[in-house]
Amino acid sequence: MGLFTRRNQTAHVQEGSSAVATLEADPALAALTGDYVIDAGHSSIGFTVRHAMVTNVRGSFTDHEGTLHLDGGDPSRSTAAIDVKIASISTGIADRDTHLRSGDFFDAEAFPLMTFRSTGAARVGGDTYRITGELTIKDVTRPLSIDLEFAGSATDVYGNERVGFEGSAEILRSDWGLTWNAALEAGGVMVSDKVKLTFDISAIKQAA
């Protein structure tokens, strides 16, 4: 993420706090407050899943869009909305991608979008933020928390004000009805239930 200029903040954690810290507002972050559109051409939404118990398969969704509202003075008022086109799934093997789009997995024809809508946000500490919300896959909506690291901000060569975030979350695909599998002769299954989601986001600030 070398495009971005890192901004460091000092955390002040309340006595007795647990996962989420209370921190002083940083003037530099407050200046970033506004509405942003995710730049899909410079962002990625990916996943990693264990295959045949011995290796990882990595893939991504190449067609997605989303918006952010950032409140640098009060991160709890920040929001995020992302729509991902299931048909854009790509793992580098065409037959596997076709299977993933089929009714065995995502059923992309009947359920073309995977969506995330935030319901809360908090600064955890340092440059790390936790976005909580609802992830919908097929016809199932369940809560999801994503830990994101603020990568920084910059003005690009076209005069766009950008911010960057990167992070991850883990889900059990069976929680969203993605249960297809095949047993292996030596024991175990072809595809793990646990999936790691990864996010590398660049977003452009919109004019007020």
Side-chain angles (χ1 to χ4, degrees):
M1 303 298 292
L3 168 67
F4 301 103
T5 301
R6 190 81 171 206
R7 303 185 190 275
N8 295 318
Q9 297 84 33
T10 302
H12 298 274
V13 182
Q14 288 182 331
E15 184 178 356
S17 65
S18 55
V20 178
T22 300
L23 302 102
E24 292 182 350
D26 186 298
L29 290 178
L32 299 178
T33 296
D35 295 317
Y36 293 76
V37 171
I38 293 174
D39 177 5
H42 295 90
S43 301
S44 65
I45 297 176
F47 60 89
T48 303
V49 62
R50 198 76 173 161
H51 177 261
M53 311 293 291
V54 297
T55 190
N56 289 316
V57 168
R58 293 176 173 82
S60 64
F61 296 92
T62 59
D63 193 347
H64 54 83
E65 60 185 24
T67 58
L68 309 174
H69 174 75
L70 303 184
D71 191 321
D74 182 1
S76 69
R77 299 178 63 182
S78 298
T79 61
I82 300 174
D83 293 335
V84 177
K85 290 188 177 180
I86 295 298
S88 71
I89 195 168
S90 176
T91 64
I93 297 179
D95 287 347
R96 181 166 59 204
D97 295 344
T98 298
H99 190 199
L100 289 170
R101 296 184 191 107
S102 76
D104 283 345
F105 285 95
F106 288 103
D107 197 356
E109 185 173 349
F111 304 99
L113 290 179
M114 173 172 63
T115 65
F116 177 79
R117 298 292 183 268
S118 67
T119 57
R123 189 173 172 199
V124 178
D127 290 329
T128 302
Y129 296 80
R130 182 164 296 144
I131 305 297
T132 56
E134 295 183 334
L135 176 67
T136 299
I137 302 175
K138 299 175 80 170
D139 56 352
V140 179
T141 299
R142 294 182 60 88
L144 177 69
S145 294
I146 306 170
D147 284 350
L148 295 168
E149 183 179 0
F150 174 58
S153 63
T155 300
D156 66 22
V157 295
Y158 302 105
N160 298 312
E161 294 183 55
R162 292 180 178 266
V163 293
F165 294 90
E166 52 187 318
S168 63
E170 288 188 351
I171 66 171
L172 298 179
R173 61 188 179 91
S174 59
D175 286 345
W176 281 266
L178 303 176
T179 57
W180 183 92
N181 228 321
L184 301 175
E185 289 186 8
V189 293
M190 181 69 73
V191 185
S192 68
D193 192 18
K194 184 169 69 174
V195 179
K196 181 179 181 181
L197 304 175
T198 57
F199 305 88
D200 199 342
I201 302 298
S202 176
I204 298 173
K205 192 173 187 178
Q206 303 301 287

